[in-house]
Amino acid sequence: MDAFFAIVLLLSTLMLFRINKVVDAVVIIALQSCILAIIATMIWLETGIGHVLLAACLTFLIKTLLIPAILFRVSRGEMAKRKIKRVFSSHYSVFIALVLMILGYHVAAYLPLAENHHGQAYLATSISLLLLGTFAMIDHNHPIMQGIGLIVIENAIFLIPLAISYGMPLFIELGIMLDMLVAAAVIATLTLKIYNVFHSINTSRMQNLKG
Amino acid sequence: MEYVLLLFITPLLAIISLSISNHVVYGKIQAVFSVVMFFAAVAMAYTVVSTGAPIVFWDQAVYVDGLSALNVLLISLVGALAAIYSKDYMETEFKEKLITKGQLRFYYLFFYLFIISMFVASVVNNLGLLWVGIELTTLISALLVAFYGKQYALEAAWKYLIMGSVGISFALLGIIFIYISSLSIEGHQIFALQWTELCKVASQLDPHWFKIGFVLVLIGFGTKAGLAPMHFWLPDAHSQAPSPISAVLSGVLLNTALYGLFRVYTIANMTITTGVAEYLIIFGLISVAVTVPFITVQSDLKRMLAYSSVEHMGIITLGIGIGGPIGIYGALLHMFNHSLTKSLLFFSAGVICHHYHTKQMQRITGLLKTMPIIGGIFLLSAFAIAGSPPFSIFMSELMILIAGFKAGYLVVTILFAVLIVLIFAGMMYYIVRMVFGTASTRIEKIKFSPWIAFSLFVPLTFVILCGFHVPNFLNELISAASSVIQQGVVK
């Protein structure tokens, strides 16, 4: 089961480099977060540790419902019609992403693994997701897509302690989720402002401050 | 405990007062609240210094030792000065119709939220919550950087938000690795990531995981503190924000990120016995070196000041890395000196840029003739920030140099000395041209507001005074803070 979820997580992230509309990326993020919530629930079923279930519920509420809802509202309308522009072409992007994925698995092999069996499956996935998220931010010029890259990174970071030690202490998890929510709101606000001022949503136009 | 609570209640009250008061009196009310906040911080720091023990409550969730107290004191001091300065600065913008009533309220609301988030980061005992606090400062201050809503401001804010958030995600990953390094210890989950507990069990932590964790935290919080080569967002963000916000960003937000880094560094020194300090020395030295070309070819006044912040964060990091009682004391004193000098510079730069309607240094000339007092203060503080005697920054830089020679870092220290001389020359070239030179006839003489005068003369007093003698209270506070970095939990 772990392997299945890991594959879905990785494939869905790869899709970020194929899609044409921002709205699709928001759906992908919602799907990813939903899978994280399911993984947490399964770990709860297995171990019975209460705070993992709470973390699962919070993930579902904040990352699967609230954050995509905020991003969805912003990327509707005018912006939804435009095609996503990338620094590299779609094919090259996917290729680079694949290379990064292999690199992630390679790096993970060098990390001292805990004896816990979930760790085996997810540590490599997390590190790959981390690299893919970073690449997604570099590759896209759309502010919302850069925000989505950030969420992929955060999801990867959420998965690591979940897999290795059944999650972080709850109040830290709570704080991180709160930060994510605020981050989504700030990204949305700034995106709207950028759109109004620049009449464009291409961050590559924002290259005036140098030196 | 009462003082710590008061510290949080006052800015909250200030925020509440926004909704019930008229915009005409915003500035005055906010200034009063900020002064109360400052005195709460002084009382708190005094308690820590006089009892010699940290303030701990709520089941060890809040933990204020010398290092926290120093940082909180600096935040509240620069915060209070910025609030007092904002009164006339923002009112002028309002009168010139540059901002609306709503924006004025937004400004004060986010100003205090920003201060609160820095307080949170400084007083929590838990590395996870420390991270949450620092990430919050990024999110809140990004909106303040975007305050004017113009193209440049939005570009700067976006760059800041993205680079800050990605950088800080790495810090979170680092903190998670530190958490993993404590997993093998019995009963770890109860005290997970509590700084005091990690200090106690430091020698039992898994050094392999901890080292990766430390490097990630260094990159993450280093990005936030503007250490090179992760500093690209800093000159943009600090130059585009309103001047009082620039002062808070440069003066104390960078310190708060370093504060987080030093907390982890303290434990790293106990867990990994060798080679940790070198990381700080390298990053510190690179940060000082990188600023040399950027300062010497700069045309924008506020950008030059921002690059100077990169330099000084490098110096502080270098001082901590060199270590030893003198090095750490010097670095922390430098933190204090830099905060006050840099906010003084941003405050005077704010008045100058308002008056000349430009930030371009070549269009600002004859400051001593058009505004003799501000021009004079600007000249003094520029000399101070560039490290010339007899000002305070010269003293702390000298301490770091002495510590460097004493610790045997000969090449590093000589390189450091050469670099600060180069930066001094680069800055002075522009400053002298701005302060002296013929004044443009179009610039009329300035009326000097008492609010702005107050927020300029207070830091100026410290900048000059600390060059000769560090006040007793400050001396004890910095000593307490440096023993925290050296020993961890003070027994």
Side-chain angles (χ1 to χ4, degrees):
Chain A
M1 210 54 186
D2 286 343
F4 171 73
F5 285 131
I7 290 170
V8 176
L9 281 175
L10 286 171
L11 280 182
S12 63
T13 314
L14 276 180
M15 283 300 288
L16 281 180
F17 300 96
R18 293 285 315 173
I19 49 162
N20 284 325
K21 282 183 192 153
V22 180
V23 184
D24 296 342
V26 178
V27 174
I28 288 179
I29 282 302
L31 171 78
Q32 262 195 9
S33 308
C34 189
I35 290 174
L36 288 185
I38 294 172
I39 292 174
T41 314
M42 284 180 57
I43 288 178
W44 169 71
L45 283 175
E46 206 175 301
T47 62
I49 303 174
H51 75 82
V52 180
L53 180 67
L54 251 163
C57 297
L58 279 172
T59 309
F60 188 75
L61 193 72
I62 293 180
K63 283 191 179 168
T64 316
L65 297 179
L66 273 175
I67 293 179
I70 293 172
L71 296 180
F72 193 72
R73 270 189 77 92
V74 183
S75 49
R76 253 185 347 192
E78 187 91 18
M79 280 186 228
K81 288 177 206 140
R82 306 204 181 177
K83 270 184 83 173
I84 295 174
K85 288 205 182 88
R86 297 187 177 86
V87 176
F88 300 99
S89 76
S90 183
H91 296 296
Y92 277 120
S93 296
V94 172
F95 177 71
I96 296 171
L98 278 170
V99 172
L100 286 174
M101 235 168 77
I102 294 164
L103 187 75
Y105 272 81
H106 195 67
V107 170
Y110 283 99
L111 288 172
L113 266 183
E115 57 278 6
N116 177 323
H117 70 277
H118 288 290
Q120 310 277 350
Y122 290 125
L123 188 63
T125 314
S126 307
I127 291 174
S128 299
L129 282 182
L130 199 73
L131 294 173
L132 288 181
T134 315
F135 178 59
M137 295 182 78
I138 299 168
D139 198 24
H140 291 99
N141 288 327
H142 193 295
I144 293 288
M145 289 303 288
Q146 290 179 349
I148 281 173
L150 190 66
I151 293 170
V152 172
I153 293 177
E154 296 275 352
N155 278 348
I157 292 176
F158 174 80
L159 191 58
I160 292 176
L162 185 67
I164 292 183
S165 69
Y166 307 126
M168 303 268 276
L170 188 68
F171 58 97
I172 300 179
E173 210 104 71
L174 204 68
I176 296 171
M177 298 260 184
L178 181 82
D179 267 0
M180 290 287 298
L181 192 61
V182 179
V186 172
I187 287 172
T189 316
L190 280 182
T191 305
L192 287 178
K193 277 193 176 178
I194 289 170
Y195 186 64
N196 286 335
V197 171
F198 286 81
H199 305 293
S200 151
I201 29 162
N202 192 338
T203 53
S204 65
R205 293 209 183 167
M206 301 197 291
Q207 303 250 336
N208 297 309
L209 295 170
K210 275 176 186 162
Chain B
M1 175 179 162
E2 303 78 32
Y3 300 130
V4 183
L5 292 180
L6 185 63
L7 197 64
F8 283 91
I9 293 169
T10 346
L12 284 176
L13 285 178
I15 290 173
I16 295 169
S17 78
L18 283 177
S19 56
I20 47 178
S21 62
N22 191 291
H23 72 275
V24 185
V25 290
Y26 276 173
K28 282 180 192 159
I29 293 177
Q30 302 307 316
V32 170
F33 275 116
S34 73
V35 171
V36 176
M37 177 181 83
F38 169 66
F39 281 115
V42 172
M44 187 198 78
Y46 184 76
T47 318
V48 172
V49 169
S50 60
T51 57
I55 302 172
V56 185
F57 59 95
W58 286 348
D59 204 12
Q60 295 223 354
V62 178
Y63 179 84
V64 184
D65 56 10
L67 189 59
S68 319
L70 176 66
N71 201 33
V72 167
L73 186 70
L74 271 177
I75 295 166
S76 62
L77 176 56
V78 174
L81 290 172
I84 294 168
Y85 178 85
S86 295
K87 193 234 158 218
D88 274 356
Y89 186 87
M90 294 320 268
E91 268 172 21
T92 313
E93 306 235 304
F94 182 66
K95 273 178 204 148
E96 290 179 2
K97 298 220 162 58
L98 292 170
I99 56 170
T100 61
K101 217 187 289 181
Q103 274 180 307
L104 196 64
R105 180 179 293 173
F106 173 94
Y107 172 81
Y108 281 115
L109 170 64
F110 278 83
F111 177 80
Y112 277 106
L113 286 177
F114 183 29
I115 300 274
I116 293 173
S117 61
M118 286 192 283
F119 281 156
V120 169
S122 311
V123 302
V124 289
N125 188 10
N126 191 294
L127 289 182
L129 293 182
L130 169 73
W131 181 88
V132 170
I134 292 188
E135 166 74 356
L136 267 184
T137 62
T138 313
L139 299 172
I140 295 169
S141 54
L143 289 176
L144 282 170
V145 171
F147 179 70
Y148 291 121
K150 302 266 169 57
Q151 287 199 4
Y152 289 156
L154 285 176
E155 181 185 336
W158 186 255
K159 217 189 225 183
Y160 171 44
L161 180 68
I162 292 300
M163 278 201 72
S165 306
V166 173
I168 217 145
S169 312
F170 281 94
L172 178 61
L173 188 63
I175 288 170
I176 286 171
F177 281 7
I178 291 170
Y179 176 64
I180 293 172
S181 81
S182 74
L183 284 183
S184 56
I185 299 166
E186 205 68 24
H188 67 92
Q189 246 148 6
I190 309 161
F191 295 113
L193 282 179
Q194 247 182 34
W195 185 79
T196 43
E197 290 304 312
L198 284 174
C199 265
K200 281 181 197 153
V201 297
S203 53
Q204 301 167 46
L205 298 172
D206 181 343
H208 195 87
W209 278 107
F210 199 97
K211 192 162 188 178
I212 310 172
F214 171 70
V215 172
L216 286 168
V217 167
L218 175 62
I219 294 173
F221 286 161
T223 310
K224 194 76 214 293
L227 292 180
M230 298 89 73
H231 66 284
F232 292 104
W233 60 271
L234 191 148
D236 300 343
H238 289 204
S239 62
Q240 293 303 321
S243 284
I245 299 299
S246 306
V248 179
L249 285 170
S250 261
V252 286
L253 177 62
L254 301 178
N255 288 353
T256 307
L258 282 186
Y259 164 87
L261 174 60
F262 296 157
R263 285 268 174 211
V264 178
Y265 173 72
T266 306
I267 310 168
N269 254 336
M270 295 188 253
T271 306
I272 318 154
T273 41
T274 51
V276 190
E278 275 71 15
Y279 284 104
L280 294 195
I281 293 176
I282 292 168
F283 272 100
L285 205 59
I286 293 176
S287 308
V288 180
V290 158
T291 50
V292 175
F294 288 105
I295 283 184
T296 38
V297 298
Q298 201 47 252
S299 61
D300 182 317
L301 173 59
K302 282 176 82 179
R303 280 182 86 82
M304 184 173 81
L305 297 180
Y307 271 111
S308 150
S309 296
V310 175
E311 173 213 346
H312 286 281
M313 289 306 118
I315 296 176
I316 296 166
T317 314
L318 182 72
I320 298 284
I322 286 171
I326 307 176
I328 293 176
Y329 182 95
L332 293 173
L333 181 63
H334 196 83
M335 211 177 210
F336 180 85
N337 294 340
H338 170 253
S339 295
L340 288 179
T341 319
K342 192 49 68 63
S343 31
L344 176 59
L345 270 167
F346 269 117
F347 289 157
S348 40
V351 180
I352 293 169
C353 295
H354 249 185
H355 201 61
Y356 279 76
H357 298 290
T358 180
K359 288 191 284 187
Q360 295 300 315
M361 288 192 278
Q362 72 230 32
R363 289 168 64 186
I364 304 172
T365 48
L367 278 176
L368 269 186
K369 285 180 192 123
T370 47
M371 35 176 98
I373 301 174
I374 300 262
I377 293 174
F378 183 68
L379 182 67
L380 288 181
S381 48
F383 266 111
I385 202 83
S388 81
F391 300 104
S392 55
I393 282 192
F394 171 74
M395 283 301 289
S396 42
E397 282 180 355
L398 191 67
M399 278 185 190
I400 294 170
L401 283 171
I402 293 171
F405 282 122
K406 269 197 161 176
Y409 292 109
L410 207 62
V411 182
V412 171
T413 317
I414 292 173
L415 212 56
F416 168 53
V418 172
L419 288 171
I420 51 178
V421 170
L422 283 177
I423 290 172
F424 177 84
M427 275 187 101
M428 277 311 127
Y429 173 71
Y430 292 107
I431 301 290
V432 166
R433 283 209 318 193
M434 286 165 68
V435 173
F436 303 103
T438 46
S440 167
T441 43
R442 286 180 293 116
I443 309 288
E444 74 271 30
K445 293 233 159 144
I446 190 175
K447 277 188 290 183
F448 207 37
S449 117
W451 297 82
I452 289 181
F454 180 80
S455 53
L456 289 175
F457 280 112
V458 171
L460 185 67
T461 318
F462 278 103
V463 168
I464 296 173
L465 180 72
C466 289
F468 296 99
H469 170 74
V470 180
N472 242 347
F473 169 60
L474 185 61
N475 178 30
E476 281 174 36
L477 183 60
I478 295 177
S479 303
S482 66
S483 66
V484 170
I485 293 186
Q486 282 173 290
Q487 306 162 11
V489 181
V490 181
K491 274 118 199 166

